[in-house]
Amino acid sequence: MNNRKLDQKRAPIYEALKDYKAKRVVSFDVPGHKQGRGNPDLTDFLGQQCMSVDVNSMKPLDNLCHPVGVICEAEEIAADAFGAQHVFFMVNGTSSAVQAMVMSVCKAGEKLIMPRNVHRSAINALIVSGAIPVYADPGVNQSLGIPLGMSLEDVKRAIAAHPEAKAVLVNNPTYYGVCANLAEIVRAAHAAGMKVLVDEAHGTHFYFGEHTPLCAMAAGADMAAVSMHKTGGSLTQSSFLLCGKGVNPGYVRQVINLTQTTSGSYLLLSSLDISRRNLALGGREIFRKVTEFAEYARGEINHIGGLYAFSKELLNGDSFYDFDVTKLSVHTRDIGLAGIEVYDILRDDYGIQIEFGDISNILAIISVGDRSLELERLISALSEIKRLYARDPAGMFDHEYIEPEIVLTPQEAFFSPKRSMPIGNSEGEICAEFVMCYPPGIPILAPGERITREILNYIVYAKEKGCFLTGTEDLTIQNINVVETKEHGFMV
Amino acid sequence: MDLWYKEQHTKDVQFSIRVEKQLFTARSEFQRIDVFYSEEFGRFMSLDGLMMVTEKDEFIYHEMIVHVPMAVNPAIQNVLVVGGGDGGAVRELVRYDGIQKIDLVEIDQMVVDTCRKYLPQTACKLDDPRVSIFYENGLRFVRSCENKYDLIIVDSTDPFGPGEGLFTKEFYGNCYHALTKDGILVNQHETPYYQDYARSMQLAHQRIQTFFPICKVYQFHMPTYPSGHWLFGFASKTYDPIEHLDAERWNALGLKTRYYNTELHRGCFALPNYVKDLLEGNDGQ
């Protein structure tokens, strides 16, 4: 690298924080803990080093809302690392990055083509912006019970049916590691004058590893939300929003500033800066190791029998166009256990916490921080669980994706007059809030959707198996808010 | 010049040995390995700064980890040693003509190589034709074994570091599965005396109990380990370590030992009250 400005060895925010510390500046500004002195218990817990760089925006440290100094420099270096035109450092989670993408391209009443198996943050963006979703069927692998990516034909159909739509949103990959044919989706969308937004919450490594599925920027997508904290090693809640050529970054910044904090945490910012440096310099080797771990674990788990750690053998050239091999997704239904049951046993009996368990699968995240010792524990625990708990799988639920009937837009439903009723009696009503298992946080019901018997059965089953259901105003998930239709004369 | 090996037994307790010279130091893929020579203890090896084996007191540990199960079932033929890269347990095992096969699974080849070179006192029998050495993760090795061993000896480091996996429920479950119907599991069971170790001891005992119908703990005196009061676990599918002690048959073998004898065998299972309390899940106070 001759261009010092874009030297990946640099980490401008981190460097500025070190300078700031070395200058021993006397602070009469916020935060009031003043390098930790004002809160000894917290300082004892988190460490002096950590507290001393929990500082406020100031000229030498730049300002996240209006970056012209070190944050701007860090953004440019990150953009170079990701092959993006512009990168934003996000401190309100990837959720806020997804919302900023949607709100940057869709105004109230405008349409967005998306798969239904998006994270709740995408539908939240629709509630805030008033944009209207057009759902393309993500397709389902029936035997695994997992939703896939969208098929190219389904996307093209949706584009033809809704030529006025502003953008197409794509998961790359899904939580389970499934990728759609992103390059062709981008081509089809651009041909129709639509933008392409990519939720890459689980795809950070696509930018740094070898032989990974195609990343959004390389596919020519317009924006992508990348969860650096998920597999890239930065602190929880820190994230990147990437912009391609066809996007005006100045406008995107204004959209971000509508909802993002004005007190951006320097702990989060420096963690993004340092993690980007780490991945840019060593990412190839790191993800080679991660891939090796995942492939090894898959082989060992498939050797146990009964458990199926799936991978590229399931590729179908379309809705399962590519697979992220670092995702260790394991199908558990054939040993008679719901994924969520395995997830609970692993934690309660073996002290092993995995990312999530759903009705039929579990997902273990393997990342930059893993070692083979822990991996052996996971594999051995799974072999024990099979030996001790396997039972006849008859009578187990065998599908995950339920096609929704959309009655109102998410925003209309969310802000409608509503009433609370017992969830079991709500068949036929229009849902006014979310119901989902968390994780993965993909809504079973989103605001504006018809509640059907099939969905209620699914909720009852998920609850029975021990899924952690969330989203409703009633924290006990006994009652659900439905749209008040009679008195207020809503057309249904 | 004063050269001292120092080890924190707790954050407030320090143990030290005056060292004549350091013979070896290296960092393997898994841990730091050091060998020293002291007037008092002879050669000794530490892993990650924790005492593993000294020439002066290793006989206590290795006799107790091997002869207790062997005196309960002298018909043992197939043995698995997990950890134990110093070779001390293997040295005691090869003294039994009835044993046909000893598999030693040590994660760190550098430990074995170091002991062969600097601690021949323990490593001297690693080349016995009945011994096979596997440089593998113990957890992984045991996972694929079924109904294969009459005795599994877990000669591990402490449960913080590379030995962690050998104190887990999944490991004990896999061991149960790998043992024959009369199988015995003997494991390094930490000390009851200092709190951090006592917690590991309690957890290990609880976890082993979920699989084995017979689950006892026995004690011995280990001068260079924290508190000097150390425990092994004895778990089995059928044999009770006292009821089934075959003293006559063992004594007839004529093995010469410096620590172990069949009277001590009976006595070592008699535990202090606070240790019993701890094993029952109480705080031992």
Side-chain angles (χ1 to χ4, degrees):
Chain A
M1 297 251 178
N2 297 324
N3 186 350
R4 166 155 166 86
K5 214 183 144 200
L6 295 180
D7 184 351
Q8 294 295 331
K9 290 197 197 73
R10 292 200 53 215
I13 299 173
Y14 160 73
E15 290 157 16
L17 282 168
K18 285 219 304 194
D19 282 352
Y20 171 79
K21 249 175 76 101
K23 284 184 182 138
R24 302 179 62 85
V25 174
V26 176
S27 64
F28 281 98
D29 62 348
V30 294
H33 61 66
K34 309 270 169 119
Q35 284 83 45
R37 287 191 303 277
N39 195 339
D41 288 348
L42 185 62
T43 305
D44 187 43
F45 181 57
L46 293 181
Q48 166 65 35
Q49 176 83 1
C50 176
M51 297 298 278
S52 71
V53 292
D54 182 41
V55 291
N56 194 22
S57 292
M58 60 188 70
K59 266 187 187 161
L61 296 180
D62 209 357
N63 186 323
L64 182 61
C65 301
H66 191 95
V68 290
V70 291
I71 295 178
C72 177
E73 267 185 79
E75 285 178 347
E76 284 169 7
I77 297 174
D80 188 51
F82 283 93
Q85 280 301 106
H86 193 86
V87 163
F88 293 99
F89 280 51
M90 306 295 287
V91 294
N92 283 28
T94 309
S95 290
S96 77
V98 170
Q99 285 165 25
M101 290 199 302
V102 172
M103 286 157 63
S104 295
V105 298
C106 289
K107 293 189 280 294
E110 294 180 336
K111 286 182 180 169
L112 175 64
I113 297 169
M114 62 205 279
R116 175 58 175 71
N117 58 328
V118 289
H119 188 256
R120 70 168 293 177
S121 61
I123 298 177
N124 278 342
L126 303 178
I127 295 175
V128 176
S129 69
I132 300 168
V134 174
Y135 290 123
D137 182 356
V140 174
N141 180 306
Q142 283 294 350
S143 69
L144 297 180
I146 62 165
L148 302 173
M150 295 177 288
S151 83
L152 181 60
E153 283 315 308
D154 280 340
V155 175
K156 283 182 174 167
R157 246 195 306 278
I159 289 172
H162 303 273
E164 73 284 16
K166 293 292 172 190
V168 180
L169 181 99
V170 187
N171 292 317
N172 190 51
T174 68
Y175 219 145
Y176 301 88
V178 176
C179 297
N181 186 349
L182 186 58
E184 285 303 318
I185 290 175
V186 168
R187 203 188 310 267
H190 282 175
M194 297 179 194
K195 301 278 189 227
V196 176
L197 314 178
V198 185
D199 182 344
E200 285 188 321
H202 299 278
T204 305
H205 47 293
F206 292 3
Y207 292 89
F208 301 98
E210 284 179 303
H211 315 300
T212 62
L214 191 65
C215 63
M217 289 298 114
D222 299 283
M223 299 177 86
V226 175
S227 250
M228 196 67 168
H229 74 84
K230 286 204 171 76
T231 52
S234 68
L235 292 178
T236 298
Q237 208 174 304
S238 65
S239 185
F240 283 125
L241 175 57
L242 317 183
C243 298
K245 286 193 196 74
V247 176
N248 171 5
Y251 178 64
V252 174
R253 178 177 303 109
Q254 288 182 320
V255 171
I256 293 170
N257 283 339
L258 289 176
T259 52
Q260 182 157 275
T261 175
T262 53
S263 311
S265 160
Y266 278 87
L267 298 177
L268 299 181
L269 293 172
S270 60
S271 85
L272 283 170
D273 205 18
I274 294 169
S275 307
R276 182 271 312 147
R277 181 175 71 176
N278 185 34
L279 294 191
L281 299 179
R284 189 179 292 197
E285 176 55 23
I286 289 169
F287 292 113
R288 190 193 59 71
K289 217 168 122 192
V290 168
T291 303
E292 205 179 280
F293 278 161
E295 297 286 21
Y296 167 73
R298 243 191 302 279
E300 292 286 300
I301 289 167
N302 287 334
H303 187 67
I304 294 170
L307 295 164
Y308 177 29
F310 53 91
S311 185
K312 288 191 169 179
E313 67 278 5
L314 296 180
L315 298 186
N316 63 14
D318 195 11
S319 57
F320 204 148
Y321 186 78
D322 206 347
F323 180 67
D324 171 12
V325 294
T326 69
K327 298 278 184 296
L328 185 57
S329 315
V330 183
H331 185 63
T332 62
R333 204 181 53 218
D334 295 343
I335 60 166
L337 293 172
I340 185 68
E341 293 177 296
V342 175
Y343 170 91
D344 283 339
I345 297 169
L346 279 170
R347 186 196 53 242
D348 294 344
D349 288 8
Y350 296 94
I352 296 173
Q353 179 65 49
I354 55 170
E355 179 71 9
F356 77 84
D358 66 17
I359 294 300
S360 316
N361 304 278
I362 55 169
L363 174 70
I365 296 280
I366 300 179
S367 73
V368 44
D370 279 300
R371 301 180 303 174
S372 68
L373 293 171
E374 282 80 12
L375 207 56
E376 292 295 351
R377 288 194 53 188
L378 174 65
I379 299 162
S380 285
L382 287 173
S383 87
E384 277 293 283
I385 289 171
K386 188 219 164 186
R387 186 171 72 81
L388 299 170
Y389 299 94
R391 57 180 184 231
D392 184 358
M396 299 203 46
F397 234 79
D398 65 352
H399 64 99
E400 177 90 354
Y401 181 70
I402 301 169
E403 186 77 41
E405 184 196 338
I406 316 292
V407 190
L408 298 171
T409 71
Q411 191 184 52
E412 281 170 332
F414 188 82
F415 291 114
S416 296
K418 10 181 195 220
R419 65 195 156 89
S420 176
M421 67 186 303
I423 211 164
N425 303 340
S426 64
E427 183 179 352
E429 301 284 348
I430 304 164
C431 189
E433 55 189 357
F434 288 103
V435 181
M436 67 207 125
C437 301
Y438 214 103
I442 296 164
I444 301 166
L445 274 169
E449 293 176 1
R450 175 88 64 201
I451 302 169
T452 64
R453 178 46 49 194
E454 195 189 12
I455 290 170
L456 291 176
N457 289 344
Y458 182 85
I459 291 171
V460 168
Y461 184 79
K463 229 169 146 175
E464 197 180 282
K465 288 294 180 191
C467 289
F468 184 57
L469 286 157
T470 67
T472 52
E473 192 180 309
D474 173 13
L475 291 178
T476 64
I477 323 273
Q478 302 294 325
N479 296 302
I480 190 165
N481 282 337
V482 299
V483 174
E484 187 69 87
T485 48
K486 299 182 190 81
E487 289 90 333
H488 298 273
F490 266 75
M491 295 300 291
V492 179
Chain B
M1 184 187 80
D2 251 5
L3 194 58
W4 288 82
Y5 168 84
K6 288 185 185 174
E7 179 178 328
Q8 293 295 133
H9 280 180
T10 77
K11 75 178 179 35
D12 299 314
V13 178
Q14 198 173 54
F15 172 79
S16 44
I17 297 174
R18 199 177 63 77
V19 168
E20 283 298 311
K21 62 177 171 180
Q22 181 162 17
L23 303 176
F24 176 78
T25 183
R27 177 164 284 283
S28 76
E29 186 190 342
F30 303 97
Q31 55 208 339
R32 176 177 167 160
I33 303 172
D34 291 283
V35 181
F36 305 92
Y37 175 74
S38 112
E39 288 279 334
E40 181 65 42
F41 288 97
R43 291 182 174 189
F44 66 94
M45 177 176 74
S46 67
L47 297 178
D48 283 339
L50 296 173
M51 177 63 80
M52 289 298 125
V53 57
T54 82
E55 284 184 329
K56 188 170 184 183
D57 68 0
E58 59 83 14
F59 72 98
I60 302 174
Y61 185 98
H62 294 125
E63 287 185 12
M64 288 300 277
I65 207 168
V66 168
H67 301 308
V68 170
M70 290 307 296
V72 172
N73 179 13
I76 283 169
Q77 296 185 336
N78 292 307
V79 185
L80 171 66
V81 180
V82 182
D86 57 47
V90 167
R91 181 194 64 205
E92 294 303 309
L93 285 166
V94 300
R95 302 174 71 189
Y96 293 87
D97 293 336
I99 291 180
Q100 294 175 351
K101 189 170 167 43
I102 302 165
D103 290 339
L104 175 74
V105 180
E106 163 64 55
I107 195 167
D108 194 345
Q109 180 167 0
M110 196 186 280
V111 168
V112 175
D113 293 345
T114 305
C115 292
R116 279 186 196 273
K117 187 160 178 199
Y118 295 100
L119 287 165
Q121 180 178 314
T122 55
C124 55
K125 297 292 180 189
L126 289 173
D127 294 323
D128 186 282
R130 290 170 289 172
V131 178
S132 311
I133 306 181
F134 301 85
Y135 298 108
E136 262 192 60
N137 181 305
L139 194 51
R140 175 175 199 263
F141 186 90
V142 175
R143 193 160 67 224
S144 56
C145 303
E146 190 181 340
N147 191 28
K148 192 170 173 192
Y149 296 106
D150 307 308
L151 171 64
I152 296 178
I153 290 176
V154 185
D155 181 1
S156 67
T157 53
D158 297 315
F160 11 90
E164 190 178 332
L166 306 183
F167 282 80
T168 58
K169 189 171 172 181
E170 52 273 28
F171 177 66
Y172 299 131
N174 286 161
C175 284
Y176 181 87
H177 197 51
L179 284 167
T180 53
K181 67 176 179 21
D182 293 328
I184 298 173
L185 172 75
V186 172
N187 69 302
Q188 194 280 96
H189 217 309
E190 304 289 288
T191 172
Y193 194 74
Y194 292 125
Q195 202 180 10
D196 286 354
Y197 294 91
R199 178 80 190 128
S200 308
M201 174 202 89
Q202 283 180 305
L203 277 175
H205 190 63
Q206 272 171 24
R207 288 168 181 160
I208 294 169
Q209 270 180 326
T210 61
F211 298 105
F212 290 88
I214 296 157
C215 223
K216 300 276 168 71
V217 168
Y218 61 101
Q219 55 184 356
F220 58 102
H221 171 239
M222 197 62 199
T224 54
Y225 281 8
S227 86
H229 180 197
W230 214 259
L231 304 175
F232 285 141
F234 181 106
S236 100
K237 297 188 181 182
T238 54
Y239 288 104
D240 181 279
I242 298 175
E243 201 184 309
H244 296 108
L245 166 65
D246 199 342
E248 212 172 305
R249 185 165 166 191
W250 190 83
N251 285 314
L253 294 172
L255 297 175
K256 191 173 172 307
T257 47
R258 293 171 63 203
Y259 190 86
Y260 178 82
N261 58 54
T262 47
E263 291 85 73
L264 183 102
H265 182 118
R266 292 192 185 88
C268 69
F269 284 91
L271 300 175
N273 286 344
Y274 86 95
V275 181
K276 285 191 192 173
D277 260 8
L278 284 168
L279 291 171
E280 279 159 22
N282 305 318
D283 63 6
Q285 299 293 307

